[in-house]
Amino acid sequence: MQSSPFSHLNDQQRQAVTAGLGQTLVLAGPGSGKTRVLTERIAYLVRDLAVRPYHILAVTFTNKAAREMQSRVEQTLGDPCRDLWLGTFHSVCARMLRREAAVLPFDSNFVIMDADDQDTLVKRVLKELNVNDKLYRASGVHAAISNAKNNLMQPKDYPRRNYRDEVIARVYERYQQMLLQSNALDFDDLLLWTVRLLQENPDVVERYGRRFEHVLVDEFQDTNTAQYLLLKLVSSYHQNLFVVGDEDQSIYRWRGADYRNVLRFEQDFPEAKKILLEQNYRSTQTVLDAARAVIDRNPHRTPKHLFTDRGSGERLVLFEAADDHSEATYVVDLIGQNMAGDRKAGSRFAVMYRTNAQSRLLEEAFLRSGLPYRLVGAQRFYGRREVKDLICFLRLVANPADEVSLNRTINLPPRGIGDKTIQSLQAAAQRAQTTPGAALLELAAKGERSAAFTALGGRGAAMLLDFARLLAGWMEAARQEPLPALFDRIVTETRYEAYLRDGTEEGEDRWNNVQELRKLAYEYQDRGLGPFLENLALVSDQDTLPEDVTAPTLLTLHAAKGLEFDNVFIIGLDEGLLPHSRSLDDPEEMAEERRLFYVGMTRARNRLYLVRSRQRSSYGSTEFSEPSRFLQDIPSALLEERGAQRRARSTRPSEVQASWARWETPVPAPRSPQIIPPPPPAPKVVQQQYRPGMRVRHPIWGEGLVVESRVLDGEENVDVAFESVGFKRLLASLARLETV
């Protein structure tokens, strides 16, 4: 007897997968198998309802999730399903915009500006408009512009309630002009222009509406205003919209996500079916009960009764450290005990925190212990200088109008083209009502007879002519040669290898990164330069995480979304850290902080450690801290308390540190006669090796500049600003620094 294709699904999952036509809202608790439901739903449509993959659109938020869904669908159906539109919101929008570029104010070969490019462009605008960049920081201005785009505001729609709004509106307008002049879009534009495309072109929205008989959405709680409207537009004809999400896991409000879209969905589609997925396949019941106790205090949500077949499991550990140094050492010591003799055991541990800055003490503790660790949220591979250099060369070949890439590469490696020459090129292009890239191509074609050469004149024109001929040659090669050949040609003709490989270890590391990018170019040799660049522009941090991890993972709670670990430590559970101080006077922000803690708690499969500190260092002094209010919501029956609150209050952190191993298996302290302690030894005189302004080299992080050196507790502490990873505070005796 043949088994049912749904025999591996629980009742709630089966109900969701086989839901009828119309709108369906699936509220999926953490670890409840939402990816399985989505992929099985697609398979059900194709296999049981005979819907062609061509007529299905499925969107999610990361390339990694999209690849996993595609793989699962193909495995279930035994068919490659090439006609299925499945990808991230941004990749789907980019695909539409390239197809419909004829009715848009940019060409189909537009480039997508990444976060660094966007920041660079905003800084250019601030400088051009003579705006004080100390009062109007580029990151803050761009955040305001991004928020406006996510709410479908064009520059003319931007509200001008005060002088700051007026400045941002002017910057926004000029920023958009520069993007279009460069035939470029930023991430938010992909959504904004797609919505405008569908709203302003009835024939286009009807064509896509008729095509997509079924629209499926993952992580619906993370959609913003633009994404919600986009989904309504593309599903407007057949009205089959299937969304999966969980308002309790909406943690990206700061980048436009609005959990209230779940409420809007129920209001806009009152006949929609609502299905809850409540069986958890990840965590123990104790972890789920503790997490529910925290999240149930949030308003405007659908209560979910999470349950599991995995058993009750062990109680949560609540540890109170004497100070933040002790907090880090406790976590690392406990992980080290569990890793003893088995390095691969480290993959079972994750340490989560509210802000990136909290990783510093953890990193130092791992370095002191000699244990490996993986830091999520460090500089991304695609953000490294040498990788970005090569990407910009390739982007310029694909789109000579891209001024950001042109400005980065025109004198790279240094070829004598200074700022004055670049400004002259820009001025000449402006007078000719063209772009600097187009002026360079004219220079390459006509040489000294070109208007650009005459306008520039002198040595600058000759230097620009050399680069212009290189660019024209690369563009010709891009039309005739495969991508790896173009890549090699650019590296060779710019002498980029010699520029990087300067005989240092850092230079070798940088060259290895270039070779790694070259490997990716080979993977795209049959698809071409355009798809290669689009993939790089849309990749996210989670897409770059290695699958095979053997070390403990350090990451922020925001980065933990979608991940799971056997053992999870959440540190910094103090008022002002979690919840963050910015949320204390804002109920919506406080609700998001609670959701963030809930997401972190539900990443744990087996053990969950909640860690806080009685006092924290603050710019050379210490401040006492209060326990996070979220801890009060967890029933005491679910907690096992360890640390300072379970022992006599000690003012010496070293006493606490020395006792941790015993606290794991408590033993009664032996009675002993009173002994008068000897006088403390004279403080050790430490000869400082480093001074501010010295350049040093670290075996992993490369070169950096010493910012400050001080002696604390008999050890020299060095603050170093590294070029590769930014600011680090190190123990001189362990850091293996070399002076340069």
Side-chain angles (χ1 to χ4, degrees):
M1 181 178 175
Q2 190 174 6
S3 63
S4 164
F6 309 118
S7 58
H8 59 295
L9 303 176
N10 64 42
D11 290 342
Q12 292 173 320
Q13 291 173 335
R14 192 178 305 113
Q15 184 184 358
V17 167
T18 60
L21 301 180
Q23 296 86 21
T24 302
L25 171 63
V26 180
L27 295 179
S32 61
K34 69 178 179 61
T35 303
R36 170 183 287 182
V37 165
L38 277 165
T39 54
E40 291 287 349
R41 173 70 175 179
I42 295 171
Y44 170 73
L45 293 174
V46 175
R47 181 189 58 232
D48 296 71
L49 300 188
V51 179
R52 291 173 54 198
Y54 176 86
H55 292 300
I56 299 174
L57 169 65
V59 288
T60 184
F61 275 83
T62 67
N63 291 316
K64 184 177 181 181
R67 287 194 300 268
E68 182 180 357
M69 286 175 63
Q70 183 84 38
S71 174
R72 288 199 195 184
V73 169
E74 293 176 354
Q75 188 176 6
T76 302
L77 293 174
D79 186 298
C81 285
R82 293 189 182 90
D83 292 334
L84 174 68
W85 270 43
L86 194 161
T88 65
F89 273 98
H90 292 94
S91 65
V92 166
C93 288
R95 188 173 177 182
M96 284 188 186
L97 294 174
R98 293 193 195 281
R99 287 187 168 205
E100 310 299 333
V103 296
L104 295 166
F106 44 82
D107 297 334
S108 61
N109 67 331
F110 62 82
V111 296
I112 302 169
M113 297 283 190
D114 67 16
D116 290 338
D117 301 324
Q118 295 164 34
D119 195 52
T120 299
L121 207 54
V122 170
K123 288 177 180 176
R124 272 188 61 189
V125 175
L126 292 172
K127 186 175 181 180
E128 179 183 303
L129 298 180
N130 199 27
V131 175
N132 187 333
D133 59 2
K134 291 183 175 59
L135 294 176
Y136 299 89
R137 297 180 64 85
S139 57
V141 172
H142 184 261
I145 294 172
S146 176
N147 186 58
K149 290 184 178 184
N150 287 333
N151 286 289
L152 302 174
M153 291 183 193
Q154 299 178 55
K156 62 182 178 60
D157 304 320
Y158 195 87
R160 294 165 167 81
R161 295 158 299 199
N162 50 47
Y163 182 69
R164 180 177 181 81
D165 289 344
E166 183 67 38
V167 170
I168 291 174
R170 285 167 48 215
V171 174
Y172 182 9
E173 183 175 19
R174 182 61 183 137
Y175 173 74
Q176 284 300 97
Q177 291 171 355
M178 285 188 169
L179 283 172
L180 291 178
Q181 288 169 4
S182 294
N183 194 37
L185 304 181
D186 63 18
F187 295 138
D188 302 309
D189 277 333
L190 295 172
L191 301 172
L192 178 65
W193 281 110
T194 304
V195 171
R196 287 188 60 185
L197 168 73
L198 298 175
Q199 285 180 323
E200 298 172 6
N201 297 274
D203 58 325
V204 176
V205 72
E206 183 178 0
R207 184 170 2 111
Y208 284 102
R210 284 178 176 273
R211 172 175 179 166
F212 297 130
E213 296 177 11
H214 292 269
V215 178
L216 299 92
V217 189
D218 188 15
E219 304 286 8
F220 181 64
Q221 78 282 345
D222 290 334
T223 54
N224 58 34
T225 300
Q227 289 161 333
Y228 183 64
L229 183 54
L230 175 65
L231 293 170
K232 292 181 69 175
L233 287 167
V234 293
S235 64
S236 58
Y237 189 83
H238 294 284
Q239 296 283 311
N240 294 320
L241 182 56
F242 184 95
V243 304
V244 181
D246 181 10
E247 66 267 67
D248 293 337
Q249 297 186 71
S250 179
I251 58 173
Y252 300 119
R253 184 171 183 258
W254 48 276
R255 66 184 189 199
D258 191 348
Y259 75 95
R260 291 173 298 183
N261 281 346
V262 174
L263 304 177
R264 292 189 184 104
F265 185 92
E266 296 186 75
Q267 294 167 359
D268 292 345
F269 306 109
E271 302 300 318
K273 293 172 284 296
K274 183 175 177 179
I275 302 167
L276 272 59
L277 302 185
E278 297 172 303
Q279 183 170 356
N280 179 284
Y281 293 91
R282 175 189 302 150
S283 305
T284 65
Q285 192 63 51
T286 298
V287 169
L288 296 178
D289 290 346
R292 271 190 57 198
V294 170
I295 200 62
D296 279 349
R297 294 180 64 85
N298 261 4
H300 312 305
R301 54 181 292 274
T302 300
K304 285 173 278 297
H305 303 286
L306 303 179
F307 67 94
T308 182
D309 292 337
R310 295 198 59 224
S312 60
E314 299 185 67
R315 289 185 295 170
L316 282 62
V317 172
L318 173 58
F319 181 86
E320 183 180 283
D323 58 26
D324 44 3
H325 291 268
S326 304
E327 177 184 59
T329 308
Y330 165 72
V331 171
V332 175
D333 280 0
L334 197 51
I335 291 174
Q337 292 169 24
N338 283 273
M339 287 178 63
D342 182 7
R343 288 277 168 152
K344 291 185 178 179
S347 62
R348 301 199 300 263
F349 292 87
V351 188
M352 301 175 186
Y353 35 81
R354 177 62 178 83
T355 65
N356 274 308
Q358 290 171 261
S359 74
R360 180 180 63 82
L361 292 178
L362 284 167
E363 290 185 74
E364 291 178 5
F366 271 105
L367 290 171
R368 284 195 301 270
S369 68
L371 292 176
Y373 65 92
R374 177 183 68 147
L375 181 64
V376 176
Q379 188 177 29
R380 297 168 58 224
F381 174 79
Y382 298 110
R384 291 170 183 160
R385 187 191 79 195
E386 61 280 5
V387 175
K388 191 66 185 293
D389 287 348
L390 268 299
I391 290 173
C392 283
F393 275 117
L394 291 167
R395 279 186 13 184
L396 187 61
V397 172
N399 177 24
D402 181 359
E403 279 198 59
V404 171
S405 294
L406 176 63
N407 290 340
R408 184 181 184 110
T409 58
I410 195 168
N411 194 42
L412 184 73
R415 55 174 60 89
I417 300 176
D419 291 343
K420 187 175 181 181
T421 301
I422 296 172
Q423 290 168 5
S424 298
L425 172 64
Q426 292 169 341
Q430 193 170 11
R431 287 194 298 271
Q433 296 185 328
T434 187
T435 65
L440 283 175
L441 293 178
E442 183 198 356
L443 187 63
K446 298 181 180 179
E448 296 182 4
R449 296 177 290 105
S450 70
F453 191 93
T454 303
L456 292 164
R459 180 175 174 274
M463 301 304 296
L464 285 174
L465 179 58
D466 289 341
F467 182 75
R469 286 172 173 162
L470 285 176
L471 176 58
W474 299 333
M475 292 179 66
E476 182 63 27
R479 289 188 284 268
Q480 299 181 9
E481 300 175 6
L483 178 57
L486 172 63
F487 188 99
D488 291 344
R489 181 168 177 167
I490 291 173
V491 170
T492 300
E493 293 184 352
T494 58
R495 299 183 178 87
Y496 195 78
E497 180 178 359
Y499 167 67
L500 277 188
R501 302 180 81 176
D502 55 2
T504 66
E505 184 177 346
E506 180 186 358
E508 289 301 310
D509 287 343
R510 291 188 181 279
W511 176 244
N512 289 337
N513 289 334
V514 171
Q515 294 298 90
E516 189 66 27
L517 183 65
R518 186 173 181 266
K519 291 178 188 176
L520 185 61
Y522 269 91
E523 294 180 20
Y524 279 78
Q525 60 182 335
D526 296 328
R527 298 171 60 185
L529 179 58
F532 174 78
L533 292 173
E534 185 163 310
N535 175 71
L536 298 187
L538 298 180
V539 73
S540 72
D541 286 338
Q542 286 205 355
D543 295 326
T544 63
L545 296 182
E547 300 291 340
D548 184 22
V549 179
T550 59
T553 300
L554 314 184
L555 72 170
T556 65
L557 288 160
H558 282 105
K561 181 77 174 294
L563 304 177
E564 56 183 50
F565 303 89
D566 285 350
N567 308 283
V568 170
F569 292 82
I570 302 179
I571 69 168
L573 278 161
D574 304 318
E575 287 289 298
L577 273 180
L578 185 64
H580 197 278
S581 57
R582 289 194 300 265
S583 69
L584 300 181
D585 298 320
D586 186 336
E588 284 289 347
E589 288 287 347
M590 182 60 70
E592 177 121 335
E593 293 291 301
R594 189 177 292 276
R595 293 193 293 268
L596 190 58
F597 183 36
Y598 174 77
V599 165
M601 296 176 76
T602 54
R603 299 310 94 193
R605 295 191 191 104
N606 301 327
R607 299 301 307 273
L608 178 58
Y609 297 81
L610 307 177
V611 188
R612 68 166 303 267
S613 170
R614 281 193 289 151
Q615 58 184 21
R616 296 189 175 277
S617 54
S618 176
Y619 302 102
S621 62
T622 56
E623 296 179 354
F624 286 96
S625 57
E626 293 293 326
S628 168
R629 67 189 66 192
F630 301 151
L631 294 175
Q632 301 171 14
D633 301 327
I634 303 173
S636 58
L638 303 179
L639 293 172
E640 175 187 344
E641 296 188 6
R642 301 178 185 171
Q645 76 274 29
R646 298 287 293 170
R647 301 176 58 81
R649 302 283 178 171
S650 170
T651 57
R652 296 193 306 189
S654 58
E655 291 182 4
V656 179
Q657 295 170 18
S659 304
W660 283 336
R662 295 198 299 275
W663 295 345
E664 301 306 314
T665 54
V667 295
R671 293 174 179 260
S672 58
Q674 184 178 10
I675 299 175
I676 300 174
K684 181 174 65 174
V685 178
V686 177
Q687 186 67 38
Q688 291 180 246
Q689 305 176 57
Y690 305 98
R691 63 181 184 277
M694 290 178 66
R695 289 200 65 80
V696 293
R697 181 182 296 116
H698 187 274
I700 297 175
W701 299 321
E703 289 193 13
L705 185 72
V706 174
V707 178
E708 187 175 356
S709 172
R710 68 182 73 79
V711 175
L712 296 173
D713 299 325
E715 292 275 6
E716 183 180 7
N717 287 245
V718 189
D719 294 349
V720 183
F722 289 102
E723 296 174 1
S724 60
V725 294
F727 178 85
K728 296 286 181 183
R729 180 166 293 164
L730 308 170
L731 283 176
S733 60
L734 299 174
R736 295 176 292 164
L737 294 174
E738 299 177 8
T739 55
V740 178

